[in-house]
Amino acid sequence: MALDSTTSSPIPIGDFVQFVKQTIVQDPQFQLQTLKGEISQWKEHNNNIYFALRDEKGQMNCVIWNASIPIDPSIREGSEVIVIANLDLWPKQGRIQLVVKKIMPVLSIGELELAKRELLAQLRQEGALDRPKKPLPVLPKHVMIITGKNSAALADMKRLAVLRYPNIRISVVEVLVQGQQAAQEIARALAVSRAWADKHGAEKLGIVPVDVVIVGRGGGSVEDLWAFNLEQVARSILASPIPVVSAVGHESDILVSDLVADVRASTPSHAVELVVPDRLNLEQWLDELEMRSSLAMSRYLERNRTQLNFLFKRLASAPKAGVVAMHRQLDGLKSRLSASVKSSTNQYRQQLIQMQSTLNAAHPQRTLERGYAMIESKGAVVQSIHDIEEGHTILLRLADGIAHSTVQEKEIGE
Amino acid sequence: MSEKALNFGEAMKRLENIVQQLEQGGKGLEETIQLFEEGAALLKKCQQELSSVEDRVNELSLEEAEQLGDSE
């Protein structure tokens, strides 16, 4: 239909209204607009909700068809709200109205504070505030950082993390950290961290499981930081199977996220200091332990050398006391010692080599070389006269050979 | 030994404990060698772990991170 002022024939009003409706509906400027105002004349009728959105400069009728969207229970007559709505025209009455797709309360700071206090009371009652905190891993394998995209906080955290531990593995998930969507996005990112912390889940994704999460942002106004006071964020922190560090830059008020997290950091950088170890420190600490353990071991051997020598000598001069079994045990010790030698320091190595030669001296062969013989029967070392029977064949093992012998007579000792 | 199951922090704690026991002394040869062996193995494991963590800082949008999980 053409609308031209020169057209002579008048247009039926119904057609005109339809035309206006099409124009409005097709114009993206009028669709899915985010609008703010105060609610008046809130009415529910036939499952539809009607109200006017107004402020001091104007107002417009709104409708929520079929009560089709979630409505915060705090919304009532006079509430300040934000709606996302499409402009529409109702042809029968020629009335322009907003079809509301989403409605959210705008809380004043006072109301926000009240909501926060209520949430804290609820969490306290549930025991969520004094639950046992999960300790941070000493050496995290995979750190997740949830924060604002391209933020100064993120830049600081990355720089500091790499400085402290050059080969740390970090996954950054970028979210909105302020505004209406922030809490939801933070909660979604925390859900990702839960999936990635799961061993099987991580395996499927081909990633190292996440073992610690930092969630935060730089400082800002009370309103800017408010997402960190919301239940959605608190609940998803509480649901985390791995430690969560709350890292919001602020000095004054403590946020709900600070109270429910496993660790509270005063700033994002502080969180990195807590989570990412200083590699140099760890290495020094390991070096020190290595030195201390070697030193302790060589002292032990030194202190016990005479006693050990004595033991080995006694052992060597008691050929009847299960020499073979002892031999095996010594062999075992020896090979384990030489394995230890390989993994220890030079100084200590010397001590162990000496130890080995002591062990060698206890080899049954050395005893045989001194003129003793070992008696074997049926493949075992004979330790008792009761193991021998008259007429049976026994082996006399000497240092340089074996004599096959027959027992002529046995005499049992006292 | 359950060494494999220990994470870095636990390994370090155990190591510290082993070294203290060695320093205190007073144990038999068998036990002392056992402790020393365990300590040496833990040291090696910790040192390897320190140098094996990969250098990777990954930046993902929320949607990318979520999709990664969905694509499994």
Side-chain angles (χ1 to χ4, degrees), chain A residues 193-214:
Chain A
S193 81
R194 286 200 291 279
W196 290 18
D198 179 71
K199 250 190 204 143
H200 302 294
E203 206 174 299
K204 277 188 195 161
L205 293 173
I207 56 168
V208 174
V210 171
D211 49 6
V212 58
V213 184
I214 297 173

Side-chain angles (χ1 to χ4, degrees), chain A residues 216-282:
Chain A
R217 53 157 291 158
S221 70
V222 178
E223 291 96 326
D224 286 348
L225 306 182
W226 206 260
F228 293 87
N229 276 326
L230 294 179
E231 181 161 12
Q232 202 175 9
V233 170
R235 296 281 175 206
S236 50
I237 289 175
L238 287 168
S240 179
I242 51 173
V244 177
V245 181
S246 169
V248 183
H250 59 101
E251 275 114 44
S252 51
D253 252 7
I254 291 185
L255 301 164
V256 174
S257 67
D258 292 333
L259 295 169
V260 294
D262 295 285
V263 176
R264 180 203 170 190
S266 57
T267 61
S269 301
H270 181 216
V272 168
E273 279 170 14
L274 295 172
V275 166
V276 179
D278 188 331
R279 180 166 167 184
L280 218 59
N281 273 351
L282 283 182

